[in-house]
Amino acid sequence: MDTNKRKTGLARLIEIAGTKRRLLIGAMLLAVITAIVQFVPIIAVYNILIELAEHALDPSLIDKAYIWLWSYIALGAFFAFGVLTFASLMLSHIAAFNILYEIRMQLVQKMVRLPLGFFSRRASGELKKIMSDDVERIELFIAHHIPDIVTALLFPLILVSYMFAVDWRLAIVVLAVLAMAFYVMGRMYTGKKIREVSKRYVETLGRMNASIVEYIRGIPVVKVFQQTIYSFKNFHAAIEEYEKFASGYALKCRIPLTGFTVTLNGTFVLLIPVAMFILSGVSGQAAYENVVLDFLFYSLFTPVCATMMNRIMFASEQLMAAKSAVSRVDEILQEKPLKEPEH
């Protein structure tokens, strides 16, 4: 196969995950059902609130059977959510552990066929990190974050759709905030400077981890000859380099992350003036109560969207780390093996 045509990044990660596509498709389908079931308690609570608000002046008229019905539905949805989440994660973990085993076997089979010059160019700590940490990072993304991304993307869509059914004017405010949050999050992960800094950050972290392994192996020497950490120049240099780029990465992300957090948590502040404007244009007790109930619904459940957005942000960060790990694994798999003698 032509190495120039090899897939990289997300495409390569999907290719690796595709070796267990049936298990992962099953995990994602269960994640879709989980997102739908997760929405049921919200509908239940909203219907209970409507029933209580409509008979607030005369509680004796409250339909207790109706409230108990929705309570049981919400409780059943919670149990179903737990079972479906467990089943989804079980399938994704089975797929991930099998993929982890296959990647490590490929690496081992490749390394035994590589010339000694390859190992002289690579630190033993670096190779150990690739075999252990990088492969584990791929497994972590496949096992946990693929179902999480499906749920985190689908649930806000279902919730916003229901919000439009409740009150389209307030829903527009929520949708605008989510769109702005996505834009800010995109700036944090797709900006050219951010990508450059984050790439260097991952590389320096890898070098520091590799140096740590070699340093630990050399501790007996340090004790015998009473040496300091500065005797291990590579380790000391790796620590300083990591500190430099970790600080740079944090500084680059502080403004986008602050904007992302403020945007999501500021939804409630924007809903208040819009609700007040809507109330100023209604007449009648029933219409007034409906607007207040709608506002209460948005106030209670809009923060759920913020939680899901945070999960998407965390999954995006893990995706970047997984792509970087895949690239380092592929560097070894694409090395030319030592030619076997013909005789």
Side-chain angles (χ1 to χ4, degrees):
M1 182 184 292
D2 187 359
T3 56
N4 294 326
K5 294 182 179 179
R6 285 182 178 270
K7 295 179 180 179
T8 58
L10 181 59
R12 173 61 174 148
L13 191 59
I14 293 173
E15 182 182 36
I16 292 173
T19 59
K20 304 296 178 186
R21 63 172 59 87
R22 291 184 179 179
L23 289 170
L24 290 175
I25 289 173
M28 288 188 286
L29 287 176
L30 287 173
V32 169
I33 300 172
T34 300
I36 297 171
V37 171
Q38 191 177 4
F39 183 68
V40 173
I42 293 177
I43 299 176
V45 172
Y46 182 57
N47 286 327
I48 291 173
L49 287 175
I50 291 176
E51 179 66 20
L52 294 175
E54 287 179 347
H55 304 97
L57 299 177
D58 189 0
S60 62
L61 297 176
I62 294 176
D63 189 347
K64 295 180 180 179
Y66 181 80
I67 291 178
W68 277 112
L69 174 63
W70 280 110
S71 299
Y72 286 131
I73 291 174
L75 184 62
F78 277 120
F79 279 112
F81 170 77
V83 172
L84 290 169
T85 301
F86 173 80
S88 176
L89 290 176
M90 181 62 70
L91 291 178
S92 65
H93 274 76
I94 293 173
F97 288 140
N98 278 278
I99 291 170
L100 179 148
Y101 169 78
E102 291 174 359
I103 292 175
R104 282 182 174 158
M105 288 301 296
Q106 290 176 19
L107 286 171
V108 170
Q109 292 169 2
K110 186 73 174 186
M111 285 183 184
V112 298
R113 297 167 55 205
L114 293 176
L116 292 178
F118 169 81
F119 297 96
S120 64
R121 298 193 309 268
R122 298 276 191 141
S124 59
E126 181 184 359
L127 295 175
K128 180 181 179 299
K129 176 185 174 297
I130 293 173
M131 285 287 294
S132 178
D133 297 345
D134 288 343
V135 177
E136 288 284 349
R137 198 175 293 276
I138 297 170
E139 179 271 330
L140 178 67
F141 180 80
I142 295 172
H144 291 274
H145 298 301
I146 287 181
D148 278 352
I149 289 175
V150 173
T151 304
L153 287 174
L154 186 61
F155 184 80
L157 293 176
I158 298 173
L159 185 57
V160 170
S161 301
Y162 189 73
M163 285 179 175
F164 270 98
V166 173
D167 191 309
W168 62 270
R169 295 160 296 188
L170 294 174
I172 288 176
V173 176
V174 176
L175 191 62
V177 170
L178 291 178
M180 180 62 69
F182 263 113
Y183 172 75
V184 175
M185 186 172 64
R187 290 277 308 272
M188 187 160 50
Y189 287 110
T190 61
K192 186 176 180 180
K193 291 183 178 180
I194 292 290
R195 285 202 306 269
E196 192 70 28
V197 172
S198 62
K199 181 181 178 181
R200 295 291 301 276
Y201 167 77
V202 172
E203 291 174 352
T204 55
L205 177 60
R207 282 194 288 271
M208 186 182 71
N209 288 337
S211 299
I212 288 173
V213 174
E214 295 189 343
Y215 175 72
I216 291 174
R217 289 177 177 175
I219 284 178
V221 179
V222 175
K223 289 183 177 180
V224 170
F225 296 99
Q226 297 182 353
Q227 299 293 305
T228 66
I229 187 176
Y230 298 102
S231 302
F232 290 82
K233 294 181 180 180
N234 290 338
F235 185 31
H236 183 246
I239 292 175
E240 291 187 331
E241 187 182 20
Y242 174 75
E243 186 274 335
K244 174 184 175 182
F245 283 102
S247 300
Y249 184 64
L251 291 174
K252 290 287 184 181
C253 290
R254 61 179 178 174
I255 294 178
L257 182 60
T258 301
F260 177 79
T261 305
V262 171
T263 301
L264 279 181
N265 295 324
T267 308
F268 183 74
V269 177
L270 295 175
L271 286 173
I272 294 175
V274 175
M276 295 297 292
F277 176 76
I278 295 172
L279 283 172
S280 65
V282 300
S283 59
Q285 184 68 21
Y288 183 86
E289 289 179 356
N290 287 335
V291 174
V292 172
L293 281 173
D294 293 346
F295 175 73
L296 182 61
F297 168 79
Y298 279 84
S299 302
L300 288 174
F301 298 115
T302 299
V304 178
C305 290
T307 302
M308 292 298 171
M309 290 292 292
N310 281 317
R311 288 175 63 179
I312 293 173
M313 182 183 68
F314 180 69
S316 300
E317 181 181 347
Q318 295 302 312
L319 173 60
M320 291 174 59
K323 289 193 293 185
S324 179
V326 166
S327 67
R328 288 189 291 273
V329 169
D330 279 344
E331 283 180 10
I332 296 178
L333 295 179
Q334 293 174 16
E335 286 284 339
K336 293 182 179 180
L338 185 66
K339 292 183 179 180
E340 297 182 5
E342 297 179 359
H343 303 288

